[in-house]
Amino acid sequence: MQHSELPDLAHTRTRPAHWIATAAATAAVVALAGLLQPGDATAKASARPGPGAPAPDPADLVLPLDCGATGVMITRKATGDLDGDGGAETVAAARCAAGSGTPPEGIYVLARTREGGSRVVATLVAPAERRSLTALTVRKGEIGATLLGYSSPEIPLCCPDETENVTWRWQDGTFLRATENAEGQGATAAL
């Protein structure tokens, strides 16, 4: 038998009290680590998409049109910063995808949500107004459109007899609409 040159150390012998103390200390460290963990690594809900975020795509949304089985057709779209926040919004014109005729169009403003998705934030022209569109632009924060309409319900949808040049500008939390008819007469109204 070989003897160790080290003295016999009584405290190196394990007893049940040592194991209980070690288990309690380990449990305390694990519990403390659980309480001191950093927060989730997700973006804050209050963060808005930055200026580099792409403009919303109307094809990614269900627009407020009741088209039944025919489906929705995006006829025109334009993008630009409408509210001065540095991010691009999309203005989309859409109608039911009818096989013939001239179904009325709606004009919608789409914006990014805080989470990065898209949503409809305003309806500028509802399909119930029986208008169709020949031009849509966004320039310097202003939406421009040329609308065709009807002087009476007896006018067939194929043959609009009125033309309006319309602009909208975001001001004081609403889109202000300015209208100029073919005779050059204008009017302004809040949406």
Side-chain angles (χ1 to χ4, degrees):
M1 181 169 178
Q2 188 175 22
H3 293 289
S4 169
E5 293 183 17
L6 296 175
D8 185 22
L9 301 175
H11 67 277
T12 60
R13 293 185 192 144
T14 58
R15 295 197 172 113
H18 290 134
W19 288 112
I20 292 172
T22 302
T26 303
V29 168
V30 169
L32 183 61
L35 293 174
L36 298 178
Q37 285 191 7
D40 293 337
T42 58
K44 291 183 178 179
S46 62
R48 288 192 48 113
D57 185 354
D60 294 341
L61 292 172
V62 176
L63 297 174
L65 285 165
D66 184 15
C67 296
T70 63
V72 174
M73 172 191 272
I74 307 298
T75 57
R76 298 179 194 276
K77 69 178 181 175
T79 61
D81 184 5
L82 299 175
D83 57 5
D85 68 352
E89 288 79 31
T90 299
V91 181
R95 64 179 176 87
C96 295
S100 63
T102 309
E105 292 176 86
I107 302 176
Y108 308 96
V109 178
L110 316 175
R112 288 273 173 214
T113 64
R114 294 175 193 257
E115 295 79 25
S118 301
R119 68 183 183 101
V120 176
V121 294
T123 300
L124 302 177
V125 175
E129 295 177 45
R130 294 185 58 209
R131 300 283 184 242
S132 56
L133 185 72
T134 62
L136 180 65
T137 60
V138 173
R139 287 192 192 106
K140 297 180 182 178
E142 186 173 88
I143 303 163
T146 301
L147 302 174
L148 302 178
Y150 309 91
S151 59
S152 74
E154 289 77 36
I155 304 294
L157 289 178
C158 70
C159 311
D161 63 342
E162 293 183 335
T163 301
E164 286 182 297
N165 293 313
V166 182
T167 59
W168 292 269
R169 179 170 290 283
W170 181 254
Q171 185 176 331
D172 299 327
T174 190
F175 283 101
L176 292 179
R177 177 179 173 157
T179 304
E180 184 179 306
N181 61 21
E183 290 79 38
Q185 298 171 332
T188 302
L191 181 68

